[in-house]
């Protein structure tokens, strides 16, 4: 028989053609050409070339032509379209409810430290800014949740390019809104508190607390945006974990900056 490159031992060069009789030694393609005794027991060690369904050759197949699935994009801890609807919705909603409860601990920690260490007027000054800060927090949650809707739709459709495009667009919009809120809120904090008829004895400390809080709007916006993106792919537990970590860090920083560093009400807002 002629001996060519395709008929050499697998140790020198493997053939790219599939065997005509897999698992058989006598006759056909493997007869008298396999030198490795281990390979005579079957063809499991011989690799076959992958099949390409989107073009005649591998280089014709681009990323945009390959079929996409959820597993090809990101790991999805919870598939919301499988299982009993009530159970899936309940497991997804419970971390959201717990997150709202944990968020209240921020204000509780600030009130406890400020009230005991700085006095009643300082505590009342923080309370006077509650309306403005709730407006900031509510706006951040609403806007970032809306930014995550196209990401959830693209992820469910298996559109990797759509996921990347929506996340990038949401990131730019979140950054732009953060700058506007930080600059505009810090400049308008005093006039807005005056429009809310804040008592004069509370206005200085309330203005300081509101300005520092507005200057940190970027952290609030991006935290809620990243949490919304993670929830958009079906995971509502990871944002809850990070929210708990942030709450514990807030308590530590409030105690350190107010009681330790002596920064007063500005330290509480910074924490």
């Amino acid at each position: 028989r002629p001996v060519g490159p395709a008929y050499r031992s697998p140790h020198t060069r493997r053939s790219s053609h599939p065997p005509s009789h897999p698992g058989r030694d006598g006759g056909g393609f493997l007869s008298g050409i396999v030198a490795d005794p281990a390979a005579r027991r079957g063809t499991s060690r011989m690799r076959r070339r992958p099949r390409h369904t989107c073009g005649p050759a591998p280089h014709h197949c681009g990323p945009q032509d390959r079929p996409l699935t959820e597993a090809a994009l990101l790991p999805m801890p919870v598939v919301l379209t499988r299982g009993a609807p009530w159970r899936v919705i309940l497991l997804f909603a419970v971390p959201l409810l717990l997150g709202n409860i944990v968020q209240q601990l921020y204000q509780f920690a600030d009130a406890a430290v400020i009230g005991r260490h700085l006095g009643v007027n300082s505590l009342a000054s923080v309370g006077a800014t509650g309306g403005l800060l709730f407006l900031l927090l509510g706006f951040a949650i609403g806007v970032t949740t809306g930014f995550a809707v196209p990401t959830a739709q693209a992820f469910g459709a298996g559109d990797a390019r759509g996921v990347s495009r929506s996340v990038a667009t949401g990131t730019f919009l979140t950054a732009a809104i953060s700058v506007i809120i930080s600059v505009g809120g810090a400049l308008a904090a005093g006039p807005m508190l005056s429009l809310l008829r804040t008592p004069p004895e509370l206005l200085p400390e309330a203005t300081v607390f509101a300005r520092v809080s507005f200057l940190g709007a970027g952290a609030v916006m991006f935290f809620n945006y990243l949490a919304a993106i993670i929830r958009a792919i079906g995971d509502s537990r990871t944002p809850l974990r990070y929210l708990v970590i942030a709450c514990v860090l807030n308590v530590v920083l409030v105690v350190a900056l107010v009681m330790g560093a002596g920064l007063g009400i500005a330290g509480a807002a910074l924490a």
Side-chain angles (χ1 to χ4, degrees):
R1 295 183 179 181
V3 179
Y7 291 90
R8 294 179 183 176
S9 170
H11 295 287
T12 59
R13 180 176 178 179
R14 293 184 181 272
S15 173
S16 60
H17 301 283
S20 58
H21 299 283
R24 193 192 308 175
D25 188 14
F29 177 76
L30 297 178
S31 177
I33 63 172
V34 180
D36 187 3
R40 289 195 182 101
R41 293 192 294 267
T43 60
S44 60
R45 294 188 178 183
M46 300 187 67
R47 299 179 181 177
R48 298 184 180 183
R49 297 178 63 183
R51 297 176 61 186
H52 299 275
T53 58
C54 53
H59 62 275
H60 291 160
C61 183
Q64 69 277 7
D65 300 322
R66 296 171 185 169
L68 297 176
T69 59
E70 292 177 352
L73 294 171
L74 291 171
M76 191 170 185
V78 179
V79 181
L80 301 180
T81 57
R82 298 177 185 176
W86 67 269
R87 184 175 181 273
V88 173
I89 295 175
L90 183 63
L91 292 177
F92 186 81
V94 166
L96 300 180
L97 178 61
L98 295 178
N100 292 331
I101 296 176
V102 171
Q103 283 184 344
Q104 304 304 318
L105 297 178
Y106 284 98
Q107 299 179 358
F108 177 78
D110 292 342
V113 175
I114 293 174
R116 289 179 174 271
H117 188 72
L118 299 180
V120 178
N121 288 337
S122 298
L123 180 60
S125 300
V126 174
T129 63
L132 292 179
L133 299 184
F134 181 78
L135 177 63
L136 169 63
L137 180 61
F139 181 79
I141 294 176
V143 169
T144 54
T145 301
F147 289 163
V149 171
T151 303
Q153 293 175 341
F155 185 85
D159 184 7
R161 183 174 298 177
V163 171
S164 300
R165 185 168 53 248
S166 62
V167 171
T169 303
T171 302
F172 286 125
L173 292 176
T174 301
I177 294 175
S178 299
V179 172
I180 295 174
I181 292 179
S182 298
V183 177
L187 295 177
M192 285 190 294
L193 289 173
S194 298
L195 290 176
L196 293 175
R197 296 182 180 180
T198 303
E201 63 273 13
L202 304 179
L203 188 59
E205 288 187 326
T207 303
V208 172
F209 190 85
R211 284 178 177 173
V212 176
S213 299
F214 276 116
L215 289 175
V220 177
M221 291 289 296
F222 273 99
F223 180 87
N224 285 276
Y225 176 65
L226 294 176
I229 291 296
I230 297 174
R231 295 189 191 103
I233 63 174
D235 184 4
S236 60
R237 297 179 182 179
T238 300
L240 176 61
R241 297 189 186 101
Y242 285 102
L243 186 60
V244 172
I245 294 174
C247 181
V248 174
L249 183 62
N250 174 72
V251 174
V252 174
L253 289 177
V254 165
V255 175
L257 296 178
V258 175
M259 303 178 62
L263 296 180
I265 198 168
L270 184 62

